[in-house]
Amino acid sequence: MGVLNVTPDSFSDGGLNLLPEVAVDAARRMVREGAAIVDGGGESTRPGSSGVSLEEELRRVVPVLEGLQGLPISIDTTKAEVARRALLLGAELVNDVTALRGDPELAGVVADAGASVCLMHMQGEPRTMQRAPGYGDVASEVAAFLEERLGVAVAAGIPEERILLDPGIGFGKTVAQNFELVRRLDVLLRLGRPVVIGFSRKSSLGRLLGDPDASTGTMAASLGVAVAAYERGATVLRAHDVREHVEALTAARAVREWT
Ligand code: HH2
């Protein structure tokens, strides 16, 4: 899953894709490089961020989605109206970092469109989530949350086979907890749904490598953790550097099974 942030302030690629034609080119390149889907979003959820208005989010993403019709697109939004417009323009997946807790209309929009949804775990909200993340057992708490949200989504009419789950790397977790969630991916896989991991460029990677104030991580570290997640059963790797991830994962897959 390639990441396409149409925002001025995303933590690693903010401002790069603000012009619609630049964003469209970037998305097309990701698909050429092997992305199975491109996750476009108009609102940063980086630690400390406080959200954008509906009008601003639509202004950012609609022209890009119009230019991407026919490509496999996911819309990274918490807003039902943004999802509705994106699905009309051909998006097939709604990636909601609030796991249907943000906008009461969103589940119905996904269900009515027959679309897929990714439900992500987050402790707290982006503005404050990294202040003091706290868990008893992080893997089982995240799994219990995702199981509950899976039930809510199914009850709202979204078929289970259209639901993906994501532990939300960096969303209210310490560096150690982020790595533990990948190490203990089996706990999440027991829920029976595909697991998405989005560790690409996240600050935990920079901190791991010695910078306590890092706000991003390197591509090489992102590739290392993506392969480790794949080895533990992750189905979707959400990544900014698509070509490199496809190459790394192709090699990792060849070790498992030569095709
Ligand atoms: N991470 C980010 C945004 N959306 N969605 C899912 N399902 N999983 C993630 O790990 C995830 C996500 C944050 O990364 P990015 O989009 O690069 O940055 P920003 O939120 O600053 O735009």
Side-chain angles (χ1 to χ4, degrees):
M1 172 186 274
V3 180
L4 181 74
N5 287 314
V6 191
T7 61
D9 56 345
S10 287
F11 77 96
S12 81
D13 57 355
L16 284 183
N17 296 309
L18 265 182
L19 288 176
E21 54 275 27
V22 174
V24 167
D25 280 352
R28 290 189 184 283
R29 190 178 62 246
M30 288 181 201
V31 172
R32 273 199 312 275
E33 291 175 346
I37 195 159
V38 175
D39 188 37
E43 175 176 57
S44 172
T45 48
R46 73 186 191 289
S49 62
S50 54
V52 293
S53 68
L54 171 63
E55 293 67 32
E56 176 62 15
E57 197 175 331
L58 287 171
R59 199 186 61 75
R60 291 177 187 176
V61 298
V62 167
V64 178
L65 295 169
E66 283 170 349
L68 292 177
Q69 290 188 57
L71 291 190
I73 296 296
S74 152
I75 179 74
D76 187 351
T77 189
T78 62
K79 297 185 182 73
E81 183 56 20
V82 175
R84 199 182 61 76
R85 295 282 290 275
L87 293 168
L88 281 174
L89 288 167
E92 46 202 73
L93 171 72
V94 176
N95 175 24
D96 176 18
V97 299
T98 74
L100 304 177
R101 294 174 300 161
D103 185 330
E105 311 278 310
L106 184 52
V109 167
V110 173
D112 291 348
S116 298
V117 68
C118 176
L119 305 175
M120 197 196 79
H121 175 272
M122 167 167 27
Q123 188 179 81
E125 51 167 330
R127 205 166 42 79
T128 53
M129 66 193 175
Q130 289 306 108
R131 277 189 202 155
Y135 299 87
D137 174 71
V138 69
S140 26
E141 280 181 41
V142 168
F145 170 87
L146 291 174
E147 185 170 26
E148 187 259 331
R149 300 315 298 167
L150 180 61
V152 168
V154 170
I158 305 172
E160 188 161 336
E161 59 273 18
R162 293 204 169 276
I163 302 174
L164 298 93
L165 304 175
D166 184 332
I169 300 299
F171 287 84
K173 283 117 191 157
T174 63
V175 175
Q177 286 159 354
N178 287 323
F179 287 102
E180 180 174 350
L181 283 164
V182 177
R183 183 164 62 248
R184 297 180 59 207
L185 208 70
D186 58 313
V187 178
L188 305 179
L189 289 170
R190 275 183 223 136
L191 299 175
R193 299 306 312 142
V195 171
V196 179
I197 295 289
F199 222 132
S200 174
R201 297 188 186 172
K202 283 190 177 162
S203 62
S204 286
L205 298 168
R207 293 178 193 193
L208 172 77
L209 296 181
D211 176 359
D213 302 317
S215 56
T216 60
T218 62
M219 187 204 303
S222 305
L223 294 171
V225 88
V227 168
Y230 165 77
E231 275 300 304
R232 284 163 180 74
T235 307
V236 178
L237 284 309
R238 186 178 181 277
H240 301 78
D241 304 290
V242 169
R243 185 171 60 78
E244 291 80 359
H245 276 76
V246 169
E247 289 178 357
L249 293 164
T250 302
R253 188 172 65 184
V255 172
R256 189 187 287 183
E257 45 169 310
W258 181 260
T259 51

